[in-house]
Amino acid sequence: MGAGETTTTRTGRRRAVPWLVLGLWVAALAFVAPFAAKLADVQHDRITDYLPANADSTQVAEIQDQLPGGETTELVLVYHRDGGLTAADRATAAEQVEKIAGEHELIGTPRGIPSEDGTTLMYPVASNEPGTDEDLRDELVGDVREVAQGEGGLSVEVGGSGALATDASEVYNSLDGPLLYTTVAVVAVLLILIYRSPVLWLVPLAVAGIADFMSMGVAYGLNQAFGTTISGQSSGIMTILVFGAGTDYALLLVSRYREELRRVERPYDAMVAALRGCGPAVLASSGTVAAGLLCLLAADLNSSRGMGPLGTVGVLCALMAMLTLLPAILVLLGRRVFWPLVPAFGSEAKQRRSLFAAMGSSAGRRPLAVLASGAVLLGALALGAFNLPGSLKQEDSFVDKPEAVAAMETLAKAYPESGTQPIDVITPKGRADETLAKIRDTRGVDSAEKGRTSDGWTEISVMATAAPQSAAETATIESLRKGLKGSYVGGVSAQQIDLENTNSRDTKIVVPLVLASVLLILIALLRSLVAPLLLVVAVVAVWAASLGIGGLIFGPVFGFEGTDPGLGLLSFVFLVALGVDYGIFLMHRMREESLSGEEPVAAALTALRTTGGVIASAGLVLAATFAVLTNMGLVALVELGFVISVGVLLDTFLVRTYLVTSASVALREKVWWPGRLSREPGPAPGQGQGPGQGPQESAEDSKTVTVA
């Protein structure tokens, strides 16, 4: 009777638990739905969302928001004719500028500045009319462009920082839809190829979509509770992480679940065994990614600091969905979800020649030679980083040239030795005249005029004699900052200087934090110092080699004129955090093999043979999702997506398969120093606990992780 009751209770639990999990997820989604829908409302791509938090240029932008009319929208109307402007062209320009002044509130009276060769006439135009509202700014830019039209060989382009911000905003706003659809399509194709099933691929893909929706709601909550910066870049990366990392976790779980179904009769029990076997590795891998991303909170750059929490939200939402919702759905669907390759109870998996077994054999025969060759290859690739182009200027930040950039290029050719965009100085109101005099006496300054004044501050617009973002203009900005104590110097060029300097500072702080946090997690998981150091050195080498490949590709092949200042730091954080994932899958399995009695070389080769397939599949999915960024319209996203994709592929097919395995074979038991496995052999096979009794079952079960 008691046994019958136990069986009945167990059967009821098998039926109830998946439905309970499903019900909890439905309730959670209903709760977050209103918040997820509002994420777009708090997503902004203002310059202050990307600038360093405490830099001069940020202070200028924030104070300008408080001045009468709010932040100034600065535009430049550029009239150009190749053969030289005619009197009629100049009259047309004057009429159009007068019409714009009649329709909008401009600061001062726009004055035309002709080029020395007579081909170009520029009209700097500034307005406080839109205030800080991005939509109103974009409306102003659109109105000006509608009025400023050329004909009969006269070209008219609208540039300046305001137009550049509008064009950038259009690109960012266009990312969300294509980024999501392309990511879903790429993951769907790869899952179909991996699973070879008309149904199974839909399950992890749908769960990843639900996790993405959940992450949007949580991200909105972070913004409302803590003011977390949400930009087009950070929200796009969050989506990439949800689908990339989430699909990786799904691949590991589904692969293990398929194998357990051959040994366990009931799907519920098979899923419990699968979660027990691969759960620790998945938890540890997600922990390293989350810890690495959270280190970005120490960055001073707003865009980097905001990306840390959003990336972490994406990874944790993916983890929760793949360890709870995905198992529940798979159990409810039963074995038929694997059709036509249904794993029957008691059957044996079809034995096929394993590519990873062959690769492991070659690494096992001559580990030192393989290790040395791989190290030389990675070192040679890393040298390509010296060929990376210089810092990316704002006009070079778009893949396809918008009108604002075309205007800046026209100005650069027509006014090669003069400034064409203002440097903004904010000074205390009581010292405005003194500051103005100092500015005019500063070397490299062409002109300076007082603008708006508030209760506490006065705005001064400065034109340099040198071209924008040139070395000479940079020297002028630095001289102004050095000589104007108590004042702030901003503007487009100053913002670029602050971005570069702050990225350099952030790299020195964040990189050690990432390395320390990842090492601590690995040490706790692997109970060793040598194995974690081996994994971290490997991913750092991958990062350096990936940047080197970028140096060989960005300029010569893609034609990029510069490298985004944040590329080094962001690619390091993502490659170290994500790359260690695959090291965890491999080394955790290797440790389990050693605990079950395998000698060191056999443990290393068995770990590679049994996890190589799922690691390769996961690496392909993750690389493909980040590669989606290379199809976006911003050079910074293309560069980041390229470096991370290349790095993941290097890590998956070279470092994990050959170098880490070779190093483990060469070090033998020393790889586990100073843990117990480095001092004494593990228990002989069969001497551990029996099935269902703890660690021994986990070690034995994990031997069948493959990809069908």
Side-chain angles (χ1 to χ4, degrees), residues 303-608:
S303 55
S304 297
R305 192 171 63 250
M307 190 178 296
L310 257 67
T312 301
V313 164
V315 170
L316 294 183
C317 286
L319 174 71
M320 290 174 56
M322 295 307 171
L323 290 188
T324 59
L325 181 59
L326 177 63
I329 294 175
L330 289 175
V331 169
L332 290 174
L333 292 176
R335 297 174 185 271
R336 59 184 177 275
V337 74
F338 289 93
W339 185 85
L341 304 174
V342 179
F345 172 59
S347 65
E348 293 291 335
K350 182 179 179 181
Q351 297 297 318
R352 292 174 295 179
R353 178 176 174 80
S354 171
L355 170 65
F356 295 97
M359 296 171 77
S361 298
S362 62
R365 286 194 300 270
R366 310 180 79 176
L368 293 179
V370 171
L371 189 60
S373 300
V376 169
L377 175 61
L378 290 177
L381 291 174
L383 294 176
F386 291 105
N387 195 49
L388 284 169
S391 294
L392 188 68
K393 297 180 180 179
Q394 286 190 319
E395 63 263 30
D396 298 324
S397 59
F398 301 91
V399 175
D400 296 320
K401 188 189 305 180
E403 182 179 339
V405 171
M408 295 173 72
E409 291 181 350
T410 301
L411 290 174
K413 294 176 182 177
Y415 305 84
E417 302 298 330
S418 63
T420 55
Q421 64 185 20
I423 300 168
D424 299 325
V425 175
I426 297 292
T427 190
K429 183 178 179 180
R431 295 166 50 187
D433 292 336
E434 175 189 349
T435 301
L436 183 61
K438 287 184 178 180
I439 292 173
R440 288 172 173 169
D441 289 339
T442 301
R443 184 177 180 181
V445 171
D446 181 52
S447 64
E449 301 293 338
K450 283 195 294 186
R452 294 170 296 161
T453 300
S454 70
D455 292 338
W457 300 96
T458 295
E459 181 181 36
I460 300 176
S461 182
V462 181
M463 296 298 293
T465 57
Q469 298 186 32
S470 63
E473 190 204 37
T474 298
T476 300
I477 293 172
E478 291 175 348
S479 296
L480 289 171
R481 286 179 167 175
K482 185 177 180 180
L484 302 178
K485 302 300 182 183
S487 301
Y488 300 109
V489 180
V492 175
S493 297
Q495 292 164 1
Q496 193 69 19
I497 294 171
D498 290 338
L499 285 172
E500 294 174 18
N501 292 340
T502 306
N503 267 300
S504 177
R505 173 262 179 200
D506 287 349
T507 299
K508 296 174 183 177
I509 294 176
V510 174
V511 165
L513 287 176
V514 172
L515 292 175
S517 61
V518 169
L519 266 176
L520 288 175
I521 293 175
L522 290 176
I523 290 171
L525 175 71
L526 301 176
R527 295 170 177 78
S528 163
L529 290 178
V530 175
L533 285 172
L534 173 63
L535 294 180
V536 169
V537 169
V539 293
V540 171
V542 165
W543 168 72
S546 303
L547 279 181
I549 295 174
L552 301 176
I553 297 294
F554 290 159
V557 179
F558 292 168
F560 294 160
E561 298 293 332
T563 304
D564 180 66
L567 176 64
L569 175 60
L570 292 180
S571 62
F572 179 87
V573 171
F574 283 112
L575 279 178
V576 169
L578 294 169
V580 166
D581 269 16
Y582 305 135
I584 287 174
F585 297 157
L586 180 67
M587 297 300 288
H588 185 258
R589 178 58 182 277
M590 195 182 301
R591 185 174 187 277
E592 288 185 332
E593 294 294 338
S594 298
L595 286 172
S596 68
E598 292 264 25
E599 60 91 20
V601 174
L605 300 182
T606 299
L608 175 62

Side-chain angles (χ1 to χ4, degrees), residues 97-114:
V97 171
E98 183 178 357
K99 182 178 180 181
I100 292 170
E103 295 177 352
H104 298 279
E105 298 177 9
L106 304 183
I107 299 175
T109 302
R111 178 175 60 91
I113 304 173

Side-chain angles (χ1 to χ4, degrees), residues 108-457:
T109 302
R111 178 175 60 91
I113 304 173
S115 63
E116 290 186 1
D117 61 7
T119 62
T120 308
L121 180 65
M122 72 168 173
Y123 274 90
V125 173
S127 173
N128 303 129
E129 185 180 74
T132 58
D133 192 307
E134 294 174 61
D135 293 334
L136 292 176
R137 178 204 64 201
D138 296 343
E139 183 179 340
L140 170 66
V141 174
D143 290 346
V144 171
R145 283 176 169 168
E146 186 175 345
V147 173
Q149 299 289 330
E151 58 182 19
L154 174 67
S155 67
V156 185
E157 298 162 335
V158 179
S161 59
L164 192 65
T166 293
D167 290 341
S169 178
E170 290 180 0
V171 174
Y172 276 115
N173 291 338
S174 68
L175 293 182
D176 291 345
L179 182 66
L180 176 61
Y181 305 146
T182 308
T183 301
V184 170
V186 167
V187 173
V189 169
L190 289 174
L191 287 176
I192 291 172
L193 294 175
I194 291 169
Y195 288 140
R196 302 192 298 280
S197 167
V199 179
L200 180 58
W201 65 275
L202 279 169
V203 180
L205 188 63
V207 172
I210 291 172
D212 185 47
F213 187 76
M214 176 70 74
S215 69
M216 292 169 63
V218 177
Y220 177 81
L222 285 179
N223 174 268
Q224 296 300 296
F226 304 105
T228 303
T229 299
I230 298 179
S231 64
Q233 184 186 53
S234 61
S235 62
I237 293 295
M238 182 178 71
T239 294
I240 290 289
L241 283 172
V242 169
F243 280 91
T247 305
D248 280 4
Y249 304 149
L251 286 169
L252 191 66
L253 177 65
V254 172
S255 174
R256 182 60 175 270
Y257 176 55
R258 182 201 296 269
E259 296 302 325
E260 294 296 343
L261 285 172
R262 299 183 187 278
R263 297 205 297 256
V264 181
E265 183 176 2
R266 298 180 182 274
Y268 178 89
D269 296 331
M271 182 58 72
V272 170
L275 287 170
R276 186 184 300 124
C278 67
V282 171
L283 287 170
S285 65
S286 62
T288 58
V289 177
L293 290 173
L294 285 177
C295 291
L296 285 172
L297 287 171
D300 189 40
L301 199 65
N302 282 336
S303 55
S304 297
R305 192 171 63 250
M307 190 178 296
L310 257 67
T312 301
V313 164
V315 170
L316 294 183
C317 286
L319 174 71
M320 290 174 56
M322 295 307 171
L323 290 188
T324 59
L325 181 59
L326 177 63
I329 294 175
L330 289 175
V331 169
L332 290 174
L333 292 176
R335 297 174 185 271
R336 59 184 177 275
V337 74
F338 289 93
W339 185 85
L341 304 174
V342 179
F345 172 59
S347 65
E348 293 291 335
K350 182 179 179 181
Q351 297 297 318
R352 292 174 295 179
R353 178 176 174 80
S354 171
L355 170 65
F356 295 97
M359 296 171 77
S361 298
S362 62
R365 286 194 300 270
R366 310 180 79 176
L368 293 179
V370 171
L371 189 60
S373 300
V376 169
L377 175 61
L378 290 177
L381 291 174
L383 294 176
F386 291 105
N387 195 49
L388 284 169
S391 294
L392 188 68
K393 297 180 180 179
Q394 286 190 319
E395 63 263 30
D396 298 324
S397 59
F398 301 91
V399 175
D400 296 320
K401 188 189 305 180
E403 182 179 339
V405 171
M408 295 173 72
E409 291 181 350
T410 301
L411 290 174
K413 294 176 182 177
Y415 305 84
E417 302 298 330
S418 63
T420 55
Q421 64 185 20
I423 300 168
D424 299 325
V425 175
I426 297 292
T427 190
K429 183 178 179 180
R431 295 166 50 187
D433 292 336
E434 175 189 349
T435 301
L436 183 61
K438 287 184 178 180
I439 292 173
R440 288 172 173 169
D441 289 339
T442 301
R443 184 177 180 181
V445 171
D446 181 52
S447 64
E449 301 293 338
K450 283 195 294 186
R452 294 170 296 161
T453 300
S454 70
D455 292 338
W457 300 96

Side-chain angles (χ1 to χ4, degrees), residues 666-681:
L667 290 169
R668 299 179 65 84
E669 64 273 0
K670 294 184 181 66
V671 76
W672 305 114
W673 184 89
R676 177 172 61 85
L677 285 175
S678 68
R679 301 188 302 272
E680 58 186 60

Side-chain angles (χ1 to χ4, degrees), residues 618-676:
L620 284 172
V621 169
L622 190 62
T625 53
F626 271 98
V628 170
L629 292 175
T630 63
N631 196 39
M632 300 297 107
L634 294 170
V635 170
L637 293 181
V638 174
E639 291 177 342
L640 183 64
F642 179 87
V643 169
I644 295 178
S645 298
V646 169
V648 169
L649 292 176
L650 279 176
D651 191 80
T652 302
F653 293 102
L654 173 63
V655 174
R656 297 294 152 229
T657 50
Y658 277 119
L659 303 192
V660 172
T661 301
S662 297
S664 301
V665 169
L667 290 169
R668 299 179 65 84
E669 64 273 0
K670 294 184 181 66
V671 76
W672 305 114
W673 184 89
R676 177 172 61 85

